[in-house]
Amino acid sequence: MKKGYKDASLRNIVKSVGMTTGAFYGYYKSKEDLFEALVDKHYKYILTCFRKAQQEFAELPHEQQPEVMSDISGACMFEMLHYAYEHLEECKLILCCSEGTKFSDLIDKMVEIEVEATHSYQKVLEELGRPSPQIDSTLEHILITGMFHTFFELVIHEMPLRNAENYVKEMRAFYTAGWMKIMGQ
């Protein structure tokens, strides 16, 4: 946690827990294997939770989607927030210390999923006779990336959970209003 994956040496890791490097290799193949053992299931949980919410939304009847968009995304955000707080150390490892691993792309993957879902939703709005103006792809990427960084700042800074829940409500209101405006809704 202090140095991040990239700068933490295996020698210092094993020394800090009173183990030899040889003993370490009895449990893990590499430093990367150790990091994966610590964070893999949490990384997958967050991505699966987010993908599931997007899929559930996409499977709704098109005429219902505009009515419940905020509800479904909000439930997902709260689920991810509570999960991250229940697994704070592991989630902070992913968010703050994973550079140099396959886990460093969590926000990038979430952005990709959200961009695809946004485009699908724009098609639904068009089908419903409520077309959305085309959003500049660079602006779209910046806004979505900022949204996830804003969300995960709560975890990174370990805001008290009650405050974090209130901030998520306010952030959702802010981003929902902004997206509605940009989408001409």
Side-chain angles (χ1 to χ4, degrees):
M1 188 66 87
K2 288 180 186 176
K3 295 188 177 206
Y5 173 83
K6 200 170 163 185
D7 293 331
S9 75
L10 182 58
R11 184 184 334 219
N12 287 337
I13 292 169
V14 297
K15 184 180 176 183
S16 71
V17 294
M19 181 184 272
T20 66
T21 306
F24 171 85
Y25 287 118
Y27 295 97
Y28 302 101
K29 292 184 256 180
S30 63
K31 179 174 78 167
E32 183 176 5
D33 194 35
L34 169 63
F35 195 82
E36 184 169 343
L38 293 170
V39 303
D40 185 58
K41 75 177 187 177
H42 308 291
Y43 174 90
K44 286 178 179 172
Y45 183 91
I46 290 170
L47 277 178
T48 299
C49 176
F50 188 63
R51 280 189 183 112
K52 181 181 168 202
Q54 297 292 348
Q55 183 178 350
E56 286 175 6
F57 179 75
E59 291 172 355
L60 288 172
H62 290 179
E63 59 278 354
Q64 190 180 358
Q65 288 184 15
E67 299 167 16
V68 298
M69 178 184 63
S70 182
D71 298 336
I72 291 176
S73 66
C76 175
M77 297 298 271
F78 279 104
E79 182 178 342
M80 289 189 302
L81 179 72
H82 288 127
Y83 184 86
Y85 271 70
E86 289 168 16
H87 306 280
L88 191 59
E89 294 294 315
E90 295 89 344
C91 289
K92 285 184 69 175
L93 280 173
I94 295 166
L95 296 167
C96 304
C97 304
S98 63
E99 184 182 350
T101 74
K102 64 184 179 183
F103 303 101
S104 66
D105 69 352
L106 177 67
I107 290 175
D108 293 333
K109 284 208 180 288
M110 293 178 81
V111 169
E112 287 174 22
I113 294 164
E114 183 70 17
V115 165
E116 185 178 316
T118 300
H119 295 172
S120 294
Y121 183 60
Q122 286 180 299
K123 289 176 185 172
V124 166
L125 289 173
E126 189 170 325
E127 287 175 20
L128 295 173
R130 299 167 60 180
S132 170
Q134 186 169 349
I135 302 170
D136 178 83
S137 60
T138 301
L139 177 61
E140 179 182 39
H141 181 81
I142 290 167
L143 292 173
I144 293 172
T145 302
M147 179 178 71
F148 287 116
H149 278 285
T150 300
F151 173 76
F152 285 119
E153 281 293 302
L154 302 171
V155 177
I156 291 167
H157 293 290
E158 299 182 32
M159 300 286 171
L161 182 56
R162 186 167 275 161
N163 291 358
E165 290 169 336
N166 287 330
Y167 295 154
V168 167
K169 286 178 192 171
E170 291 179 20
M171 287 166 25
R172 284 185 48 243
F174 175 82
Y175 281 104
T176 299
W179 280 109
M180 296 298 277
K181 177 75 173 166
I182 287 173
M183 293 180 135
Q185 301 302 306

